[in-house]
Amino acid sequence: LSEIPAADTSRIGMFGGSRGGMMTYMALTRTKRIKTAAVLAAPADKFASIKDRPGLEDSLYELVAGYEQNKEAELNRRSAIKWAHKFSRNVPLLILHGNSDWRVKSSQSIRLALELDKHRIPYRLMIFEGADHGLSEFRTEFYQVLVDWFDRYLKNGAALPNMDYHGR
């Protein structure tokens, strides 16, 4: 991005869906350049993914170098719930999921949100009732939520939410 003259590298946002969401989680722990992020139907616990989707593990032998020799370590590397404490408290994260998703159960996003909450990482979790892996039943709403999120934190530069416990 720094090679593109019109790019504002002080306001980088990242969005990923499904496996791209898992990669977004990983990127958030490896760089401080991302200012906000959003994920859609992202696997957050590869151990649960294997349990929930018989046959998925077969593809991991081909897709993940060293998987056969070190399954647990490779699954941990791809399971954000195992390293949620590494997420920045300065990067708000939008998590979107459909609760009728057969590929990645919405419970993975719910469990990640609970981990983020323990560490006071700013996030918003939206579960779309009856929605599939791509939120196709809520396409218009999903796009608007996504645009609003990036407008809020990148275009308009909104302050981070107050993650301290507060109120009456």
Side-chain angles (χ1 to χ4, degrees), residues 54-66:
L56 177 64
E57 187 173 31
D58 295 340
S59 66
L60 295 177
Y61 288 103
E62 293 177 30
L63 297 172
V64 178

Side-chain angles (χ1 to χ4, degrees), residues 144-160:
Q144 191 58 57
V145 166
L146 199 58
V147 167
D148 290 348
W149 183 263
F150 286 109
D151 279 355
R152 178 179 178 186
Y153 289 108
L154 295 180
K155 187 177 182 181
N156 301 328
L160 291 169

Side-chain angles (χ1 to χ4, degrees), residues 122-136:
Y123 73 91
R124 177 174 293 173
L125 171 65
M126 295 182 72
I127 303 292
F128 290 78
E129 68 282 2
D132 64 10
H133 191 60
L135 300 183
S136 62

Side-chain angles (χ1 to χ4, degrees), residues 16-132:
S18 195
R19 182 168 185 236
M22 179 186 71
M23 294 171 78
T24 299
Y25 291 149
M26 294 169 82
L28 289 172
T29 67
R30 292 186 170 108
T31 182
K32 295 182 187 292
R33 297 185 77 189
I34 299 167
K35 299 305 177 199
T36 191
V39 298
L40 166 64
D45 180 356
K46 291 305 282 184
F47 295 93
S49 292
I50 288 172
K51 187 179 115 246
D52 293 341
R53 275 182 67 189
L56 177 64
E57 187 173 31
D58 295 340
S59 66
L60 295 177
Y61 288 103
E62 293 177 30
L63 297 172
V64 178
Y67 180 72
E68 188 169 6
Q69 295 78 24
N70 206 350
K71 292 179 185 182
E72 187 169 345
E74 293 303 328
L75 293 174
N76 278 329
R77 283 185 57 223
R78 291 160 175 80
S79 297
I81 64 163
K82 302 287 186 177
W83 32 264
H85 62 283
K86 292 183 178 182
F87 283 69
S88 173
R89 291 185 176 156
N90 297 317
V91 179
L93 174 62
L94 174 63
I95 303 169
L96 307 167
H97 218 123
N99 67 1
S100 292
D101 182 348
W102 70 271
R103 290 181 183 268
V104 180
K105 299 274 194 308
S106 60
S107 57
Q108 289 194 42
S109 289
I110 293 167
R111 289 193 343 265
L112 177 60
L114 291 171
E115 287 300 311
L116 295 171
D117 202 61
K118 279 185 206 175
H119 300 286
R120 309 311 301 146
I121 310 295
Y123 73 91
R124 177 174 293 173
L125 171 65
M126 295 182 72
I127 303 292
F128 290 78
E129 68 282 2
D132 64 10

